[in-house]
Amino acid sequence: MLKAEHLYKSFGKEAVLKDLNMEVKKGSVYGLAGINGAGKSTLLRIIAGVYKADQGTVTLEGKDTFLASEIRKSISFVADEPYCPSGATIQSMRLFYECMYDFDGALFDSYCRTFDLPPSKPMSAFSKGMKRRTALLFALCTHPELILLDEAYDGLEPLAKLQFRRILAERMEEEGISAIISSHSLRELEDICDAFGILENGAICTGGDLLEMKEKLHRFQAAFAEEMDKDSFKDLDILSFSREGRVIQMVVRGDVEEVRASLMKHHPLLLDVLPVSLEELFVSELESRGIYHE
């Protein structure tokens, strides 16, 4: 299990993380969401041991990821802009990884074919998608306990996304690895993640099991004979509310039948209950805090 406890991190006078706490269970894929500048990349770098937190600790299986070099070898970090040395090829980078990590040459050969990557071609000539595929290739070949992916799908072609999701599922089933994935594409996170956290104002403002959270949130669409406003439903825990004439839409937290019964007291002409996506959950949570408005 990964644990981040009471993390603080500032750059100069700018506080990026403030008393952040999170847990990622072994074998889980954790989706990290947040608006631009929320601190997602900083958090991943602290977990990887690249940055040192000003206060607090990050432990993987009970070992500090900044202090314990042996545990850092079990973490693969793919940055949002993967770096490669001038003149490097995939083959020359393989030699580096073989010196530093428990590198699996058989997986390397297999994934080179899967991702259609030329081992001897200079990486400086690669497209953005090829560089991303290369970074994922090396991350997967070190038998990590934890993979950190910052904007994992950025630049990946649709086929490469499908291949990566399949390979990650295989590694999780065979080796029990965990993953933390940050991405602007919340729809893609929803396809692969079983847990999530929303980073806002330097801390995880909400998170947990994705399925359990979605079972507690529902989007209601209703039409009434008279115009209704948000104050008409003060007994409900409303995260987002919109109205067009006599038709309202709102995302509500709570038991679906209890919410339905409360709405029925207002005698709706029409009442539909719709599922909530991770993207709607994210927007609704931030709207409820006055952070995000469409």
Side-chain angles (χ1 to χ4, degrees):
M1 177 183 287
L2 175 88
K3 282 188 177 183
E5 299 178 283
H6 305 296
L7 291 184
Y8 289 82
K9 182 64 179 177
S10 298
F11 295 97
K13 295 182 179 180
E14 182 182 0
V16 180
L17 303 181
K18 294 172 282 187
D19 198 23
L20 182 144
N21 297 275
M22 67 181 291
E23 289 188 3
V24 180
K25 296 179 181 178
K26 186 175 178 61
S28 176
V29 179
Y30 186 98
L32 182 62
I35 62 175
N36 288 336
K40 300 187 297 296
S41 296
T42 297
L43 174 58
L44 293 182
R45 283 172 166 80
I46 290 175
I47 293 172
V50 176
Y51 290 165
K52 185 179 187 300
D54 298 334
Q55 296 180 47
T57 59
V58 178
T59 57
L60 179 61
E61 303 303 332
K63 297 181 180 179
D64 191 297
T65 62
F66 185 81
L67 298 176
S69 59
E70 70 275 11
I71 204 66
R72 287 200 299 274
K73 287 186 176 182
S74 68
I75 300 174
S76 288
F77 175 47
V78 178
D80 55 345
E81 296 183 4
Y83 167 79
C84 64
S86 177
T89 65
I90 292 179
Q91 188 61 45
S92 67
M93 289 297 293
R94 172 181 178 166
L95 299 176
F96 169 78
Y97 273 82
E98 285 177 336
C99 293
M100 299 295 293
Y101 298 95
D102 177 19
F103 192 79
D104 192 320
L107 278 181
F108 171 86
D109 294 334
S110 174
Y111 292 160
C112 273
R113 293 190 296 270
T114 297
F115 289 132
D116 192 24
L117 293 168
S120 59
K121 184 177 180 179
M123 293 168 60
S124 59
F126 284 6
S127 67
K128 184 176 183 179
M130 292 176 70
K131 289 178 180 178
R132 178 64 61 173
R133 280 180 272 151
T134 300
L136 293 173
L137 161 75
F138 284 112
L140 291 163
C141 288
T142 60
H143 291 288
E145 291 185 36
L146 175 66
I147 295 181
L148 307 174
L149 303 170
D150 197 356
E151 295 299 330
Y153 297 115
D154 190 26
L156 281 185
E157 306 85 349
L159 178 58
K161 293 176 185 178
L162 291 173
Q163 291 169 330
F164 168 68
R165 286 200 291 263
R166 175 181 59 80
I167 290 170
L168 181 58
E170 290 174 354
R171 299 269 67 79
M172 291 178 64
E173 183 176 353
E174 295 175 9
E175 301 177 19
I177 67 173
S178 308
I180 301 177
I181 304 176
S182 77
S183 176
H184 286 103
S185 178
L186 297 180
R187 288 187 176 90
E188 290 176 335
L189 282 182
E190 190 168 15
D191 290 339
I192 194 171
C193 296
D194 56 75
F196 79 102
I198 295 177
L199 182 56
E200 183 263 311
N201 196 29
I204 301 295
C205 64
T206 190
D209 184 277
L210 181 57
L211 182 60
E212 289 181 2
M213 183 63 71
K214 288 173 66 177
E215 288 178 347
K216 296 177 183 177
L217 293 178
H218 295 85
R219 180 158 56 93
F220 290 85
Q221 180 174 276
F224 297 90
E226 299 179 355
E227 289 191 6
M228 310 284 282
D229 57 23
K230 189 175 180 180
D231 289 338
S232 303
F233 311 100
K234 291 182 178 180
D235 57 330
L236 299 179
D237 185 4
I238 300 173
L239 298 185
S240 69
F241 182 94
S242 63
R243 183 186 66 190
E244 288 190 17
R246 298 176 183 178
V247 178
I248 66 166
Q249 289 199 42
M250 54 185 172
V251 175
V252 183
R253 180 167 27 218
D255 180 81
V256 62
E257 294 304 325
E258 291 180 2
V259 175
R260 188 198 302 271
S262 179
L263 291 174
M264 290 301 295
K265 295 176 184 178
H266 298 279
H267 308 292
L269 304 174
L270 170 71
L271 179 60
D272 290 326
V273 185
L274 305 171
V276 175
S277 67
L278 178 58
E279 185 170 23
E280 287 178 304
L281 188 158
F282 172 72
V283 172
S284 297
E285 286 286 351
L286 294 191
E287 280 186 341
S288 70
R289 292 168 169 78
I291 301 298
Y292 183 94
H293 297 283
E294 291 195 294

